[in-house]
Amino acid sequence: MSALLGLWPEVRDTCTSLGLMLSTVLFVGLARVVARQQLHKPTAHGFVLEFIATFQLCCCTHELQLLSEHDPAHPTWTLTLIYFFSLVHGLTLVGTSCNPCGVLMQMLLGEMSPEMGAVRLLAQLLGALASRYCIGALWSLGLAKYHFSERSLACKHPIHVDLPKAVTSEAICSFIFHSALLHSQEVRSKLRIHLLAALITFLVYAGGSLTGAVFNPALALSLHFSCFDEAFPQFFIVYWLAPSLGRG
């Protein structure tokens, strides 16, 4: 009984984190419904959907990163959550990319106009920054023992290898993911979502110890904003340039 009582605070904190992520998903889902009903201009509709989709992805990833740091001895649990929430994002954020590399790829393939591409890129940038400040405000409430606002402000120095290896890691992850995204268009949507979620989980497992395996410039900006401020050239090359060049 004492052992169970000793585990209770950790279980409670984990449930709090899961509750925050699922609440974010529900909030964004409601916002998507309202946007579809109220916004009829394609530009405004596309901007809002991309903004809230990027917001959801970044907020959930902030919390997942926090869970992985809090319990590094059990990576299987973290990878399971990554797979689960990758499925959730795939099911709930249909029609958005949440990734500037995806927008650039669509523009190069002629599937999106430059004007709409610029609008979506701006929405992703603002969504990434908004998520950072929102998650900081939530953490400052101290809902879990490892929630405090300073976590969102300090640079965690996620690059654990030299610059060439870091660039190669992010570029390869981006290339593999976007190649799979491009060549799985004909696969049934339900199966495709599972395959992409499994691929994301594998890439995080394979490259997480090197750079975090972000392969998403908007997400990297939200996660490592302070690092960009401290060492902009290095983080620009690794987290913005490398994924963009490796998008296939």
Side-chain angles (χ1 to χ4, degrees):
M1 180 63 71
S2 60
L4 289 175
L5 291 175
L7 287 173
W8 169 244
E10 294 184 5
V11 174
R12 181 189 60 200
D13 290 340
T14 300
C15 290
T16 299
S17 288
L18 292 175
L20 282 175
M21 288 186 279
L22 293 175
S23 297
T24 301
V25 172
L26 291 174
F27 169 76
V28 169
L30 178 62
R32 284 173 64 88
V33 172
V34 173
R36 285 175 175 168
Q37 292 177 346
Q38 301 297 325
L39 300 176
H40 304 293
K41 292 184 177 181
T43 303
H45 184 256
F47 177 88
V48 171
L49 289 187
E50 200 69 53
F51 175 88
I52 59 178
T54 305
F55 178 85
Q56 173 180 312
L57 173 66
C58 293
C59 283
C60 290
T61 306
H62 272 287
E63 202 65 37
L64 285 171
Q65 186 181 59
L66 192 61
L67 284 173
S68 68
E69 293 172 357
H70 178 66
D71 193 14
H74 300 90
T76 304
W77 171 238
T78 303
L79 291 172
T80 301
L81 289 177
I82 290 172
Y83 176 77
F84 173 75
F85 277 96
S86 295
L87 284 179
V88 171
H89 297 324
L91 290 169
T92 60
L93 303 180
V94 177
T96 58
S97 66
C98 315
N99 189 333
C101 297
V103 173
L104 292 175
M105 184 172 69
Q106 288 180 290
M107 291 171 64
L108 290 174
L109 293 174
E111 298 175 357
M112 183 181 296
S113 67
E115 293 78 11
M116 180 58 74
V119 167
R120 287 183 178 266
L121 289 173
L122 177 61
Q124 290 171 354
L125 173 64
L126 296 177
L129 294 176
S131 70
R132 179 178 178 82
Y133 291 105
C134 180
I135 207 71
L138 288 173
W139 286 351
S140 67
L141 299 176
L143 299 176
K145 68 179 181 181
Y146 46 84
H147 278 175
F148 47 92
S149 60
E150 288 79 6
R151 281 186 177 273
S152 67
L153 301 177
C155 176
K156 302 179 180 68
H157 302 288
I159 301 175
H160 303 294
V161 292
D162 57 38
L163 185 59
K165 289 181 180 178
V167 170
T168 302
S169 174
E170 285 293 313
I172 289 176
C173 286
S174 182
F175 174 77
I176 293 173
F177 175 72
H178 286 97
S179 294
L181 201 63
L182 184 62
H183 293 97
S184 62
Q185 300 290 339
E186 303 301 322
V187 180
R188 288 187 300 114
S189 59
K190 291 183 179 180
L191 176 60
R192 182 171 182 260
I193 291 172
H194 280 277
L195 292 174
L196 291 174
L199 178 61
I200 290 171
T201 306
F202 169 75
L203 292 175
V204 171
Y205 173 75
S209 61
L210 304 178
T211 61
V214 181
F215 52 92
N216 181 334
L219 179 58
L221 182 65
S222 183
L223 293 176
H224 308 307
F225 182 81
S226 297
C227 299
F228 277 93
D229 186 44
E230 294 177 13
F232 180 80
Q234 180 185 19
F235 280 80
F236 173 80
I237 293 170
V238 173
Y239 291 113
W240 284 4
L241 186 60
S244 299
L245 294 175
R247 71 186 182 277

